[in-house]
């Protein structure tokens, strides 16, 4: 069914165009007209793919989240415990240009979500998935004796998740071109605390 | 000079009106017209106080930051080390309705800051002040032997700051009415890690 593949590919082209505009000019710049222009579509030709800007933005955010999760699956495959947890966090942290751009996209999405229950729910579900992932690795690390901290894993998981989210803000609001925020060293330091 | 006091008071009234609108409807709802309406000003009467929406937003954000810092000064007075650090963090964390509303204001500000270097600079300066505060308390806690973690204080300070920022996102994107996110327990757990 080549038609369907084509439809999906075009949706991804539009998502990419949206990202580029948001990362460059912020959410306000991403009008349907600008997105069409950036993606090389005729004005009005977006409707069959995304009837509204809102459906496009929700799809775009879910796609960032899915893409991050695919990268996570690649780097955590065959690993467990603290080793897997470290790989997971290093993939979420904004350690390079691509992921700093993702941070610049996720903040406008959060801003929308503050007053849009549907988007807030997408965010919360994504974060619950990540909390579960972190807890799973922590449980493995407890079994192997790598984590001995006398603090409940559910508290540790949410601590760590909030740290990862805060890092997105730091990276997205940094002067252009800056890519080193010491986040990898911070993570290493945090994992050292858990080993106590 | 009663005229000047009056001018300052009116600016704060406008800031309060802006906050109420942003917390309720998001940044898009906060037009100069809506702000005037909410504050009981005639349309166009804002200009002498804030020539543009941008100057108003920057002043409003600085005011949230200053207000938080005044609360921090109140609760940390006479304290030091981990005790002061805990009081500082409990004041920054979104633990009640008022501070959840502040979180709902700060996220739209961050979104603006992603593509506005002036606002990003205000954010960075505020965060550097807080990192310095955290490091100061950590140094005191080292001297008294309360913190023994074998991780550099500058890493710990930025970890903790990112955790506090991430907590704002969680609170601002939660369903309305929810005020307990376990942030106080997370903080307690984190401070327990530092005591190791």
């Amino acid at each position: 069914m080549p038609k369907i593949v084509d439809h999906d590919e075009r949706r991804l082209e539009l998502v990419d165009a949206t990202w580029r505009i948001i990362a460059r000019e912020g959410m306000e710049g991403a009008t349907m007209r600008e997105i069409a222009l950036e993606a090389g579509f005729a004005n009005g030709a977006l409707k069959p793919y995304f009837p509204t800007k809102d459906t496009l933005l929700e799809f775009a955010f879910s796609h960032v989240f899915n893409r991050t999760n695919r990268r996570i699956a690649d780097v955590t495959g065959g690993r467990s415990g603290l080793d897997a947890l470290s790989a997971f966090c290093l993939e979420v942290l904004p350690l390079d240009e691509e992921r700093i751009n993702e941070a610049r996209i996720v903040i406008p999405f959060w801003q929308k979500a503050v007053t849009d229950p549907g988007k807030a729910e997408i965010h919360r579900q994504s974060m619950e998935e990540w909390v579960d992932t972190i807890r799973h690795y922590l449980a493995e690390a407890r079994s192997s004796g790598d984590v001995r901290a006398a603090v409940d894993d559910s508290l540790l998981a949410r601590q760590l998740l909030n740290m990862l989210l805060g890092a997105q803000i730091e990276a997205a609001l940094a002067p252009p071109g800056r890519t080193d925020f010491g986040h990898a060293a911070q993570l290493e330091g945090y994992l050292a605390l858990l080993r106590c």
Side-chain angles (χ1 to χ4, degrees), chain A:
Chain A
M1 293 190 291
K3 261 290 187 216
I4 288 170
V5 171
D6 193 43
H7 188 266
D8 285 354
E9 264 174 22
R10 297 229 146 182
R11 280 164 71 97
L12 292 181
E13 279 169 34
L14 290 168
V15 165
D16 278 334
T18 308
W19 282 341
R20 287 195 300 270
I21 297 172
I22 292 179
R24 205 168 59 215
E25 299 164 39
M27 194 65 114
E28 286 81 3
T31 62
M32 290 297 261
R33 191 192 175 84
E34 275 300 311
I35 295 164
L37 194 71
E38 175 85 21
F41 281 57
N43 192 19
L46 271 59
K47 295 269 174 212
Y49 302 99
F50 296 104
T52 63
K53 184 177 156 183
D54 244 36
T55 54
L56 171 49
L57 288 176
E58 287 188 9
F59 182 83
F61 178 75
S62 297
H63 186 65
V64 169
F65 184 69
N66 293 337
R67 196 165 68 166
T68 306
N69 281 339
R70 269 199 301 277
R71 287 197 314 248
I72 289 168
D74 285 348
V75 295
T76 56
R79 292 172 154 185
S80 66
L82 276 194
D83 183 37
L85 182 59
S86 172
F88 168 87
C89 294
L90 288 172
E91 209 47 57
V92 173
L93 284 170
L95 298 178
D96 58 28
E97 202 90 37
E98 180 189 3
R99 286 172 288 162
I100 294 169
N101 266 335
E102 289 181 358
R104 294 168 67 86
I105 290 154
V106 84
I107 291 177
F109 183 85
W110 288 336
Q111 185 259 321
K112 281 277 187 193
V114 169
T115 50
D116 180 333
K119 290 191 182 57
E121 184 58 29
I122 292 176
H123 167 80
R124 285 197 301 268
Q125 277 177 12
S126 310
M127 293 308 101
E128 285 311 307
E129 277 181 46
W130 281 2
V131 164
D132 288 346
T133 303
I134 295 172
R135 289 183 65 163
H136 172 76
Y137 294 139
L138 283 174
E140 289 179 342
R142 293 267 181 203
S143 312
S144 66
D146 281 339
V147 168
R148 282 190 292 265
V151 178
D152 196 84
D153 281 357
S154 63
L155 292 179
L156 296 178
R158 289 182 186 277
Q159 253 172 35
L160 185 52
L161 180 66
N162 280 339
M163 217 182 290
L164 298 177
L165 297 187
Q168 312 296 320
I169 299 161
E170 187 179 11
L173 270 62
R178 209 185 139 198
T179 54
D180 186 11
F181 306 95
H183 290 148
Q186 279 172 42
L187 172 66
E188 211 174 301
Y190 182 76
L191 298 180
L193 295 179
L194 300 189
R195 286 195 185 91
C196 282

